[in-house]
Amino acid sequence: MSDLKNNTHKIGVYVCDCGSNIAGMVDVPEVVKFASTLPNVAIAREHKYMCSDPGQDTIKKDIKELGLTRVVVSSCSPLMHEPTFRNAVQDAGLNQYLFQMANIREQCSWVTEDRIKATEKAKKLVAAAVERVILHEPLKLKEVAVNPNVLVVGGGIAGIEAALQIANSGKKVYLVEKSPSIGGHMAQLDKTFPTLDCSACILTPKMVQVGRHPNIELMSYSEVTDVSGFVGNFKVKVKKKSKFVEQEKCKACGDCEKECPVERDDEYEMKMKKRKAIYRYFPQAVPNTFLIDKTERPPCKITCPIEQDASGYTALIAQKKYQQAIDLVRKKNPLPIVCSRVCYHPCETACRRGDLDEPISICHLKRFLVDWEMEKPEERYKKPEIKNEREEKVAIIGSGPAGLACAYDLRLLGYQPTIFEELDVVGGMLHTGIPEYRLPKKLLKKEIDRMKDLGIKIKTNTKIGKNFTLGNLKKQGFDAVFIATGAHKGLKMKIPGEELAGVFDGVEFLREVSLGKKMEVGKRVAVIGGGNTAVDVARTVWRLGADEVNIVYRRTIKEMPAAAHEIEETQKEGIKITYLTAPLEIIQKNGKVSGIKCIKMKLGEPDSSGRRRPVPVEGSEHEIKSDMVIAAVSQAPDLSFMDPSLQLKVSKWETLETDPLTMVTNQEGVFAGGDLVTGPATVVEALACGKRAAISIDRYLNNLPLDSKPIIEAGLGRKSKDDIPKIDVKEKYKDKPRKPRMQIPGLSIKERAGNFKEVELSIPEKLALEEASRCLQCGPCVECFECVRVCEAKAVNHSLADQTVELDVGAVVIATGFDTYDPVLAPQYGYKKYDNVLTSMEFERLSHAGGVTGGRILLKNGKEPESVAILHCIGSRDENANEYCSRVCCMYSLKFAHLVKEKTPAKVYELYIDMRSFGKGYEEFYKRLMHEGVLFVRGKGAEITDVVENEEEKGKLIVKCEDTLLGFVRRIPVDMVILSTGLQPQKDVAEVTRLFTIQRSRDGFFLEKHPKLAPVATATDGVFLAGACQGPKDIPDSVAQGAGAAANVIAMIDKGVVSIEPIVSYIDPEKCAGCKLCLTLCPYNAIEFNQEKKVSQVQEALCKGCGTCVASCPSGVPIQYGFRDEQILAEIEGALESETLAVNK
Amino acid sequence: MNQKGFEPKIIGFLCTWCSYTGADMAGTSRMKYPSNIVIVRVMCSGRIDPTFVLKAFQDGADGVLIAGCHPGDCHYINGNMKTMRRYPLMVKLLEGFGIEKERIRLEWVSAAEGEKFSTVVKDFTAKVKKIGPLNWSVQAGVSKEASSPGLKEARL
């Protein structure tokens, strides 16, 4: 570096007058005089316009004739003319980087008020530049090849124009559009000003052209998620959201739409109409396909362990499509009759309606369906079809819900399952654990008989380890084994006295009762525990005639694991629950139980399960009198059947270990599930285990590797709350009328005593219909699959997933458009308060032939308006909203006036501040409207009210305003008000700004490179702007900008290469200590560590020249070309010591 | 100290993409501010080496302004965040040298914020004016010749 300074230099300094822009405030001759006194300055000159050809020629001439080695131009901002002067320097044979600019216009003459001070500052800037340029070194521009593919973001008219122009020049264009169709706002407009052509008529041919263009790859319903790289070589990630309809197959016939039960506000129709959950964005949409709105997915379905289509069958019930509903239930659930009675329904806990008032009674709606089916089973029960029979035999040990589910699914796949059951009865815990009053045995038998009818073999009284061993099953010709023997062993309380007569185990007790054994119960019975077993035991004992039943539980009702409605029923039946009490010892009298010694508990710190741990209260020992004690504390699997030769892995909780999703044990071909694996859990969780195992066994028998993916795809993965998209239910559904959930009919307490009749009764149809119609259909798609059923083209596919694609492009055109001002923010206009106050976009849809009224301009009551007021500048030219003029509102307001006049006899008022009709044919259109009899009132509408002051105003909306021409305040009674809402940046403008590292101007729109001379370029090379995303624009301007951006892009690509500033970093390997600090700081991972030399190295191609590594190296090794430390330090020195420098010469 | 008639010398280090463009915007919009500030352009505020700041004070600056893109808007992804992290350390170091922390300021100025830039410069100039001259090299008793080569080599 030092060699650069050693040479004596000849510097030329050129100070520009810029007309009077600089010379008007800076004493240019004085600056020139000063510059000529600076060291190394060979010549200093003044010029009127340095950027002009003569100005540039002066530099060139001096370089040649005087042999200048460095050049300083002191004029405008380098962001403006640095390239101009660099070219001039280069043309004269000097390296273009031996040049520096001093910005004495934007940062001096234009911002300073005092001529002397401005001149002083200009001198400092010149001195700084001179000092700096001495240390400049020749650099070479980097040239990189340009990828000829182009990304256009946004499919409005500007994006369409840009895409078509670029594609027509033979380049490949990726057009990414966020909404399901291209067309943008223009597709929503009725007519266009001032020619009044139909917007769709002129737009749709262009849209179709885009759709058909061989060079355009249209990605609708897609968003750019990541951008990296640089001009000529961008890497872009695009997320293509799933439409759940296969685009190539969809014929857009609309059959699906007719069957869909879900209605949603139609965004395209400005929410004035409804659309279905499966819909087409609008009839002329491109691409013209349907899509399904699944933005918020139903949590009831997602949380269900078997992903039962809860919202689907609920919606079908509401439509009285009971057959489709029960078919949908049976598609995934092998035991719907059981589940409709005993499921712990996590779906209801997750139901979004619960955040509003009460969750949908989903479980009981299923009960309604199975009862409906049982009314005429021969007609309504559809026996599943087994398509291809297979020979493989699968042994299933245990006939509980897990075993039954596994057998059922395997049988449907064509396999030959055989269930081995130890007891005489089938159903496992369903039979022996769940009391008759909750699940009548005859109903369970019905489901099991149907399974047998399908060809599932069930061998009762066959105990593993006794009648057969796992080891010899294979010899008997079984190809795979599923073990689901449950958790039937009651755990001990581990307190003294447990062995006494009169002390029972809860699971055993229920089993004995269910098997029909006469059980003598005591008069005062205590049940220890707080789970479902404890509650079942207590209610059973009560039915068997005990005088007093007391559940003793060590925590409070909040921690009780039993289902809430079960606890409620228990209390209704008069069963006492003693909370915060733990047994210490069973007390006996004459060898029989006489009571329990208990201790009071209090809640301490939460334990690993999150429940607060009970702690004994000292000295609170007391006795609970009872003559029978039933312990229902917990259950565990009985592992005595285990064949030690099999060496199945057992966990420390005495459960069998398997893969959590594939359910395979440590032994090939042996699978397990249900309580045996999970520990005591619920019926539906056991079903999920069985279904998972069936998928794995199928793969195993087809010699496919076991994989959790198909299990997750089948909806049988582990469920987590995070899977549910979060929404603010209270806000979103605030208008939904509140309604409590249905009351389930049931037996009175009297009717229950002394018998085991089913407590809950059938649900009347009317009640079920009402309950089903409470569903918010929050998915919004309820996944009833009616669309799949009716689609002849088989295009609907609910399992299509989102896709992310990576694109390589050389240039980007951003044409993301605008949003309209929301007049809710200006409450004085009564938008949303009064029915007939519309926004401009709403009026477009009202007036459009395809809109809600078929193009007739009608009030909400269906009548034609007699008078209409159009209020200009809502959200524009307003310091409380947007300061700028939105440029299109005056003209579209005139168009509205014309449309109202054309279609109705109404009087039309235009309330304007200033009329801005600046475009081609615009002023003429304004004149025409004046002749059409529109009443123009100069003055901004101040308020809309329905408070009347006289007879004439009755039933009208009154527009208050000041007529600034007449000079008084007016009250104009009208029937309809149209708010001409302004344009503002899109909601996601900040994200797009960040993605493409571009800037925004003060109004929030994207910032162009130069407001006059580079209106479609941005500061980021290779990224261009088109349309209203850069600022409010009408259609002709947007199209012009689209074409302009296209021209920029085409020119860049056709050149083939782009020049990149060589201002990259360099690390001297001789000096680098290898600390790797710079590696972590580099935003582009452009620095790699050379393991061999143990030094960091800059990969030039990746370096973008921010210089962060240079500023942070502890040993000061990296340099940035063009921004070396020495150069900047010299610049600082020059700026601060300009006076000393000059004197020194 | 007599502060009447005292005109502080201020150096502003500005990133090219947001703050320098913002300063240009102030000019294009003819928003006036005191002429005390002289701007040094760097590509990213992340390039601003603490040495630059020390050098400015040593060469007679009374105040130093650093400006970059708003957090999240950095043209180089997150260079400004590195400046933000470096800044408190730099202030602490300067305080160790006896330089009041009011003499240095970090601001986020976007390309659109010409008005903000002008307001910041006005306010900062007034504040530095109030504190008075720094004369750091004189105070510290180091001559420029003795310290300058050292400064160029020494790092923080």
Side-chain angles (χ1 to χ4, degrees):
Chain A
M1 197 67 214
S2 55
D3 53 320
L4 285 170
K5 200 165 187 177
N6 285 341
N7 299 328
T8 48
H9 285 289
K10 284 187 173 176
I11 305 174
V13 179
Y14 301 87
V15 188
C16 181
D17 289 343
C18 197
S20 64
N21 280 315
I22 295 172
M25 183 53 69
V26 172
D27 184 347
V28 176
E30 169 73 17
V31 177
V32 171
K33 206 172 111 192
F34 165 78
S36 61
T37 64
L38 291 171
N40 296 311
V41 173
I43 183 81
R45 291 186 199 274
E46 176 178 1
H47 201 283
K48 194 127 186 107
Y49 289 106
M50 274 313 298
C51 58
S52 65
D53 276 352
Q56 294 184 48
D57 288 343
T58 317
I59 302 176
K60 291 181 197 169
K61 203 169 145 228
D62 286 353
I63 293 173
K64 284 177 187 152
E65 291 178 2
L66 302 175
L68 297 182
T69 59
R70 298 287 187 274
V71 173
V72 169
V73 173
S74 174
S75 58
C76 50
S77 171
L79 304 185
M80 175 100 193
H81 270 309
E82 193 173 56
T84 314
F85 298 120
R86 276 188 177 167
N87 283 339
V89 169
Q90 188 92 22
D91 283 352
L94 196 63
N95 183 280
Q96 58 173 314
Y97 286 92
L98 300 175
F99 164 79
Q100 177 71 7
M101 248 179 123
N103 182 350
I104 62 166
R105 191 179 76 174
E106 281 85 347
Q107 298 183 3
C108 183
S109 72
W110 277 350
V111 292
T112 312
E113 284 172 305
D114 183 299
R115 194 172 164 81
I116 297 170
K117 283 184 177 167
T119 308
E120 284 312 303
K121 183 169 176 180
K123 287 182 189 173
K124 288 179 187 171
L125 286 162
V126 170
V130 168
E131 285 297 287
R132 190 189 207 274
V133 83
I134 293 171
L135 299 176
H136 279 201
E137 59 197 314
L139 298 173
K140 229 183 131 192
L141 268 177
K142 280 199 300 182
E143 287 205 328
V144 291
V146 176
N147 183 315
N149 300 341
V150 182
L151 170 72
V152 176
V153 189
I157 185 61
I160 288 176
E161 178 66 23
L164 283 174
Q165 295 286 357
I166 298 166
N168 285 341
S169 79
K171 276 103 195 152
K172 166 108 188 169
V173 177
Y174 299 100
L175 177 57
V176 175
E177 165 58 46
K178 194 163 63 174
S179 68
S181 168
I182 56 169
H185 281 96
M186 190 176 168
Q188 288 175 285
L189 306 181
D190 178 18
K191 300 283 186 290
T192 57
F193 62 77
T195 47
L196 296 171
D197 3 32
C198 152
S199 187
C201 308
I202 55 175
L203 176 65
T204 43
K206 288 217 165 220
M207 289 166 59
V208 171
Q209 246 180 300
V210 168
R212 292 200 184 139
H213 205 294
N215 288 341
I216 299 179
E217 187 172 331
L218 174 56
M219 300 180 189
S220 61
Y221 211 42
S222 302
E223 277 174 67
V224 175
T225 54
D226 188 52
V227 181
S228 59
F230 50 90
V231 55
N233 297 281
F234 292 105
K235 265 199 189 314
V236 182
K237 277 193 190 139
V238 178
K239 183 175 160 194
K240 294 168 93 173
K241 288 186 280 179
S242 175
K243 291 181 181 167
F244 305 100
V245 175
E246 289 173 35
Q247 212 164 301
E248 318 75 51
K249 291 186 190 165
C250 178
K251 306 279 181 289
C253 65
D255 286 348
C256 51
E257 203 174 26
K258 287 178 210 130
E259 289 300 318
C260 179
V262 183
E263 284 202 329
R264 273 290 179 275
D265 284 340
D266 189 335
E267 299 88 351
Y268 172 78
E269 293 289 353
M270 299 311 292
K271 304 192 176 178
M272 293 159 85
K273 263 172 127 173
K274 297 276 182 197
R275 62 158 169 83
K276 294 298 186 67
I278 185 161
Y279 68 110
R280 179 168 49 176
Y281 198 49
F282 57 97
Q284 303 94 327
V286 172
N288 203 319
T289 45
F290 279 75
L291 71 150
I292 304 179
D293 184 353
K294 284 191 194 246
T295 40
E296 281 145 13
R297 296 287 327 269
C300 48
K301 178 171 177 176
I302 302 177
T303 43
C304 177
I306 59 165
E307 280 208 0
Q308 177 88 81
D309 300 285
S311 53
Y313 71 71
T314 303
L316 290 168
I317 291 174
Q319 294 206 313
K320 295 194 181 180
K321 291 180 177 174
Y322 305 134
Q323 187 63 56
Q324 281 98 318
I326 186 70
D327 291 349
L328 184 62
V329 169
R330 286 210 175 267
K331 211 166 95 183
K332 282 189 182 161
N333 194 332
L335 298 170
I337 302 178
V338 171
C339 284
S340 75
R341 280 155 168 95
V342 303
C343 189
Y344 82 115
H345 44 70
C347 49
E348 294 184 17
T349 315
C351 175
R352 288 197 176 114
R353 177 113 205 181
D355 290 350
L356 209 61
D357 41 36
E358 288 179 291
I360 307 296
S361 204
I362 300 169
C363 190
H364 284 100
L365 285 175
K366 187 184 284 160
R367 163 79 192 260
F368 165 76
L369 282 179
V370 297
D371 286 355
W372 176 84
E373 185 195 54
M374 272 189 282
E375 277 170 26
K376 286 181 189 166
E378 59 297 331
E379 172 187 320
R380 294 172 180 172
Y381 169 71
K382 299 231 178 83
K383 189 176 159 184
E385 221 182 303
I386 291 151
K387 284 188 184 122
N388 38 353
E389 286 289 347
R390 299 187 55 144
E391 285 174 359
E392 293 96 329
K393 284 165 72 184
V394 181
I396 288 162
I397 324 291
S399 68
L404 290 172
C406 186
Y408 182 83
D409 281 9
L410 284 172
R411 184 67 198 111
L412 295 190
L413 290 166
Y415 297 103
Q416 312 299 329
T418 305
I419 299 176
F420 296 90
E421 169 56 48
E422 169 188 358
L423 296 177
D424 186 30
V425 294
V426 184
M429 272 290 184
L430 298 177
H431 194 287
T432 65
I434 299 174
E436 173 83 14
Y437 63 87
R438 282 176 64 203
L439 175 61
K441 306 284 182 253
K442 62 169 200 250
L443 296 181
L444 175 62
K445 190 169 173 295
K446 186 170 268 181
E447 300 244 53
I448 288 160
D449 287 346
R450 280 174 179 167
M451 294 222 176
K452 285 182 185 163
D453 188 38
L454 272 179
I456 296 167
K457 293 185 192 73
I458 303 179
K459 290 192 176 172
T460 50
N461 292 313
T462 316
K463 187 172 161 61
I464 185 173
K466 192 172 151 196
N467 307 84
F468 66 96
T469 64
L470 281 179
N472 61 24
L473 275 175
K474 283 203 174 167
K475 283 179 206 145
Q476 291 179 36
F478 286 100
D479 301 282
V481 184
F482 177 62
I483 315 172
T485 50
H488 292 265
K489 191 170 78 178
L491 290 183
K492 296 280 175 209
M493 295 183 285
K494 293 177 188 155
I495 56 172
E498 253 183 298
E499 67 298 332
L500 287 168
V503 181
F504 294 83
D505 169 62
V507 198
E508 212 177 296
F509 179 82
L510 289 175
R511 179 161 60 232
E512 297 297 319
V513 173
S514 77
L515 292 174
K517 198 170 161 190
K518 265 245 155 303
M519 298 296 285
E520 290 293 324
V521 295
K523 283 191 167 11
R524 306 174 79 175
V525 183
V527 182
I528 316 291
N532 282 315
T533 309
V535 169
D536 286 345
V537 167
R539 293 180 73 184
T540 301
V541 171
W542 177 76
R543 280 170 170 74
L544 288 172
D547 290 346
E548 187 193 299
V549 188
N550 187 358
I551 296 176
V552 179
Y553 179 54
R554 57 197 185 131
R555 298 185 225 223
T556 72
I557 189 164
K558 252 167 78 186
E559 289 82 19
M560 242 173 126
H565 71 275
E566 289 286 328
I567 300 173
E568 208 178 294
E569 291 301 314
T570 307
Q571 286 169 323
K572 276 191 205 159
E573 286 168 7
I575 292 161
K576 199 173 143 195
I577 306 179
T578 309
Y579 297 109
L580 290 169
T581 304
L584 293 175
E585 188 186 342
I586 315 264
I587 309 166
Q588 57 128 347
K589 212 175 198 175
N590 308 326
K592 285 181 87 181
V593 173
S594 70
I596 319 166
K597 190 179 164 196
C598 293
I599 189 163
K600 279 263 160 223
M601 309 293 275
K602 62 179 182 197
L603 291 182
E605 293 301 306
D607 64 9
S608 57
S609 72
R611 294 184 302 174
R612 290 175 66 189
R613 197 189 298 274
V615 192
V617 179
E618 239 176 89
S620 67
E621 291 87 347
H622 60 284
E623 192 187 327
I624 293 176
K625 288 254 180 265
S626 43
D627 50 12
M628 184 180 190
V629 175
I630 306 176
V633 286
S634 192
Q635 297 111 265
D638 182 356
L639 295 175
S640 57
F641 68 86
M642 289 267 287
D643 184 345
S645 68
L646 262 177
Q647 294 179 324
L648 288 171
K649 220 169 162 188
V650 175
S651 79
K652 63 176 173 179
W653 297 281
E654 293 276 286
T655 57
L656 215 56
E657 269 189 29
T658 66
D659 177 277
L661 287 174
T662 62
M663 309 314 291
V664 69
T665 63
N666 58 327
Q667 296 298 328
E668 204 193 307
V670 180
F671 301 80
D675 285 359
L676 171 68
V677 171
T678 58
T682 60
V683 174
V684 68
E685 282 165 313
L687 292 182
C689 284
K691 290 173 78 72
R692 284 183 205 129
I695 293 175
S696 292
I697 292 170
D698 178 43
R699 288 184 72 86
Y700 171 71
L701 295 178
N702 282 315
N703 287 320
L704 291 168
L706 294 182
D707 185 1
S708 53
K709 214 176 137 203
I711 288 160
I712 293 166
E713 279 168 3
L716 297 165
R718 299 281 158 177
K719 310 293 173 172
S720 143
K721 268 191 173 166
D722 302 332
D723 300 334
I724 307 169
K726 292 198 176 37
I727 60 164
D728 186 349
V729 178
K730 281 205 170 111
E731 175 56 31
K732 184 155 185 175
Y733 296 98
K734 58 176 187 256
D735 300 331
K736 195 98 189 165
R738 303 293 193 268
K739 201 177 168 194
R741 73 200 314 226
M742 65 173 167
Q743 291 291 320
I744 312 301
L747 293 181
S748 69
I749 305 301
K750 241 188 187 168
E751 288 167 310
R752 300 180 195 179
N755 65 65
F756 279 83
K757 278 190 221 157
E758 187 172 16
V759 170
E760 287 176 349
L761 303 175
S762 287
I763 293 137
E765 184 179 0
K766 189 172 163 277
L767 207 58
L769 283 172
E770 270 175 34
E771 183 63 16
S773 62
R774 281 180 70 235
C775 176
L776 297 174
Q777 307 191 318
C778 62
C781 172
V782 290
E783 301 181 8
C784 64
F785 304 105
E786 283 292 276
C787 45
V788 178
R789 185 173 64 84
V790 298
C791 180
E792 279 177 18
K794 304 235 172 298
V796 185
N797 180 351
H798 281 259
S799 53
L800 282 181
D802 290 350
Q803 247 185 311
T804 296
V805 291
E806 216 176 286
L807 310 175
D808 290 306
V809 296
V812 179
V813 176
I814 298 177
T816 49
F818 65 91
D819 200 0
T820 49
Y821 176 74
D822 182 3
V824 164
L825 299 171
Q828 67 270 31
Y829 297 116
Y831 178 65
K832 292 254 156 133
K833 186 176 166 195
Y834 305 123
D835 273 349
N836 294 309
V837 177
L838 308 179
T839 65
S840 41
M841 285 310 287
E842 285 169 351
F843 181 79
E844 294 282 0
R845 292 317 301 164
L846 183 70
S847 174
H848 195 281
V852 62
T853 57
R856 296 183 62 196
I857 295 171
L858 298 176
L859 299 169
K860 280 277 155 72
N861 63 12
K863 287 187 189 153
E864 257 185 10
E866 289 170 6
S867 49
V868 177
I870 304 169
L871 273 59
H872 292 215
C873 298
I874 305 301
S876 314
R877 305 186 69 195
D878 178 351
E879 286 186 0
N880 297 318
N882 297 312
E883 218 182 311
Y884 53 82
C885 166
S886 291
R887 291 179 90 242
V888 291
C889 322
C890 281
M891 291 310 296
Y892 75 59
S893 298
L894 291 175
K895 174 189 77 182
F896 289 172
H898 173 84
L899 291 171
V900 176
K901 281 271 170 201
E902 191 180 69
K903 296 183 182 186
T904 74
K907 254 188 190 174
V908 182
Y909 297 89
E910 292 264 1
L911 283 82
Y912 67 99
I913 309 178
D914 300 292
M915 278 307 298
R916 299 192 166 175
S917 46
F918 51 86
K920 189 169 179 174
Y922 290 12
E923 185 67 19
E924 295 90 320
F925 187 61
Y926 175 27
K927 226 172 195 170
R928 173 177 165 188
L929 265 290
M930 283 197 270
H931 290 303
E932 282 181 12
V934 175
L935 302 164
F936 287 88
V937 178
R938 201 185 85 175
K940 188 175 175 178
E943 194 188 337
I944 311 291
T945 176
D946 60 353
V947 182
V948 296
E949 284 184 357
N950 53 47
E951 202 55 34
E952 191 205 358
E953 292 180 354
K954 241 182 182 172
K956 302 268 182 187
L957 292 168
I958 295 102
V959 183
K960 291 207 244 175
C961 72
E962 187 194 346
D963 189 325
T964 56
L965 288 179
L966 298 176
F968 62 84
V969 174
R970 287 180 72 168
R971 290 171 64 87
I972 306 172
V974 293
D975 294 322
M976 179 187 273
V977 174
I978 307 167
L979 302 176
S980 297
T981 43
L983 274 50
Q984 58 187 27
Q986 285 277 20
K987 280 184 197 78
D988 59 356
V989 65
E991 278 163 59
V992 180
T993 309
R994 270 166 213 174
L995 268 176
F996 294 96
T997 62
I998 54 176
Q999 278 85 33
R1000 290 159 70 189
S1001 44
R1002 227 178 61 150
D1003 52 17
F1005 291 98
F1006 296 131
L1007 181 67
E1008 62 287 340
K1009 192 169 184 178
H1010 190 278
K1012 311 279 175 340
L1013 303 174
V1016 297
T1018 66
T1020 303
D1021 288 341
V1023 178
F1024 301 92
L1025 303 174
C1029 66
Q1030 181 254 346
K1033 241 171 236 82
D1034 55 18
I1035 295 167
D1037 284 3
S1038 296
V1039 173
Q1041 245 198 4
N1048 274 262
V1049 167
I1050 295 166
M1052 195 186 104
I1053 294 172
D1054 281 352
K1055 200 180 163 199
V1057 289
V1058 283
S1059 302
I1060 294 178
E1061 289 269 300
I1063 49 174
V1064 292
S1065 296
Y1066 168 74
I1067 298 172
D1068 187 347
E1070 297 294 314
K1071 294 183 189 161
C1072 175
C1075 74
K1076 299 188 194 175
L1077 183 66
C1078 50
L1079 268 72
T1080 60
L1081 290 172
C1082 178
Y1084 302 100
N1085 299 320
I1087 308 176
E1088 60 178 6
F1089 192 70
N1090 185 325
Q1091 287 296 350
E1092 205 177 300
K1093 295 184 186 160
K1094 303 272 179 251
V1095 292
S1096 303
Q1097 281 178 338
V1098 177
Q1099 295 168 271
E1100 257 191 41
L1102 297 178
C1103 176
K1104 303 249 171 76
C1106 66
T1108 299
C1109 56
V1110 188
S1112 45
C1113 175
S1115 22
V1117 177
I1119 56 159
Q1120 185 186 6
Y1121 293 115
F1123 287 88
R1124 284 178 182 260
D1125 278 359
E1126 298 85 340
Q1127 293 164 345
I1128 294 166
L1129 292 172
E1131 189 177 348
I1132 298 167
E1133 201 171 310
L1136 289 166
E1137 300 185 2
S1138 52
E1139 294 144 48
T1140 352
L1141 284 169
V1143 174
N1144 279 351
K1145 191 169 184 183
Chain B
M1 191 173 292
N2 179 17
Q3 277 152 35
K4 268 202 186 133
F6 161 62
E7 286 298 341
K9 291 180 179 175
I10 294 169
I11 294 287
F13 294 106
L14 269 55
C15 84
T16 294
W17 303 99
C18 294
S19 304
Y20 193 88
T21 315
D24 274 359
M25 173 66 83
T28 319
S29 320
R30 314 294 198 277
M31 287 159 175
K32 310 294 179 196
Y33 55 80
S35 66
N36 306 60
I37 189 164
V38 175
I39 292 163
V40 173
R41 181 172 71 95
V42 286
M43 292 313 288
C44 176
S45 59
R47 173 68 184 94
I48 300 164
D49 193 316
T51 318
F52 301 170
V53 178
L54 283 178
K55 168 76 175 168
F57 283 123
Q58 188 210 4
D59 282 359
D62 301 294
V64 170
L65 174 71
I66 295 171
C69 307
H70 283 269
D73 287 352
C74 180
H75 185 81
Y76 299 104
I77 303 173
N78 54 17
N80 54 354
M81 302 313 280
K82 281 145 200 167
T83 311
M84 194 166 85
R85 271 185 272 159
R86 207 180 281 147
Y87 179 75
L89 211 71
M90 195 146 68
V91 173
K92 224 169 186 174
L93 178 103
L94 291 175
E95 284 191 296
F97 284 134
I99 298 174
E100 299 89 335
K101 63 173 185 288
E102 291 77 14
R103 290 188 188 275
I104 180 155
R105 190 187 281 195
L106 174 66
E107 289 282 351
W108 308 130
V109 177
S110 83
E113 291 175 329
E115 197 175 341
K116 179 175 179 186
F117 181 75
S118 120
T119 313
V120 164
V121 173
K122 272 188 235 169
D123 180 72
F124 186 52
T125 311
K127 293 221 163 102
V128 175
K129 206 168 188 170
K130 214 167 160 192
I131 312 169
L134 173 64
N135 288 332
W136 186 42
S137 52
V138 179
Q139 274 180 29
V142 281
S143 72
K144 184 174 145 44
E145 285 69 29
S147 66
S148 207
L151 242 186
K152 280 182 189 174
E153 296 304 320
R155 288 289 170 144
L156 295 155

